[in-house]
Amino acid sequence: MAAVDIVSFGYLHDAPPAAHLTIDLRHHFRDPHVSPELRYMTACDEPVRTAVLNTPGITDLVNATATAVAAFASGPSSGTVTVADGCAGGRHRAPTFAGALAERLRAAGHDVTVHHRDLDKDVVQR
């Protein structure tokens, strides 16, 4: 199976990283930032992961992205497939999605690395 590199990021910190697939989670999925009790937590905290993963459509998007990765991996190139997924600040939705995608891809036999570019940055005040 192909190697896959997943990079989560926040659009408010810097431009999206170069990738074969870029998934924008900003406008269609519940943002834990709007809940004061979750705002200063990250995807490392179970309440954030639960809030994101219980959002309608997120599991379908993880599965669809895994299917797209498989399509890229089956092409004539044997290089690493890079997936970038971003939300506003890179602390909640994007790293949670990256973790769920990594789990799904590993179960399918892919060699997966995950990097959270903005997870440890300060909360963006908006």
Side-chain angles (χ1 to χ4, degrees), residues 62-117:
V62 168
N63 291 333
T65 304
T67 298
V69 167
F72 275 97
S74 68
S77 173
S78 61
T80 299
V81 177
T82 303
V83 178
D85 68 290
C87 59
R91 295 170 45 90
H92 300 112
R93 291 169 289 182
T96 298
F97 180 88
L101 179 60
E103 183 178 306
R104 170 78 165 68
L105 292 170
R106 287 181 182 124
H110 292 279
D111 177 25
V112 181
T113 60
V114 179
H115 173 71
H116 303 298
R117 186 185 79 182

Side-chain angles (χ1 to χ4, degrees), residues 3-124:
V4 181
D5 186 27
I6 303 171
V7 182
S8 73
F9 68 95
Y11 281 93
L12 296 175
H13 291 291
D14 203 352
H20 296 96
L21 293 166
T22 301
I23 309 298
D24 186 343
L25 302 167
R26 291 177 291 180
H27 304 292
H28 301 288
F29 298 101
R30 188 172 298 130
D31 185 1
H33 180 89
V34 301
S35 300
E37 66 276 8
L38 300 177
R39 182 170 299 143
Y40 292 94
M41 293 182 184
T42 70
C44 296
D45 299 298
E46 184 60 36
V48 168
R49 290 192 306 276
T50 298
V52 172
L53 295 175
N54 284 334
T55 302
I58 200 78
T59 301
D60 292 337
L61 185 59
V62 168
N63 291 333
T65 304
T67 298
V69 167
F72 275 97
S74 68
S77 173
S78 61
T80 299
V81 177
T82 303
V83 178
D85 68 290
C87 59
R91 295 170 45 90
H92 300 112
R93 291 169 289 182
T96 298
F97 180 88
L101 179 60
E103 183 178 306
R104 170 78 165 68
L105 292 170
R106 287 181 182 124
H110 292 279
D111 177 25
V112 181
T113 60
V114 179
H115 173 71
H116 303 298
R117 186 185 79 182
D118 301 322
L119 179 71
D120 294 325
K121 293 191 178 168
D122 290 337
V123 171
V124 176

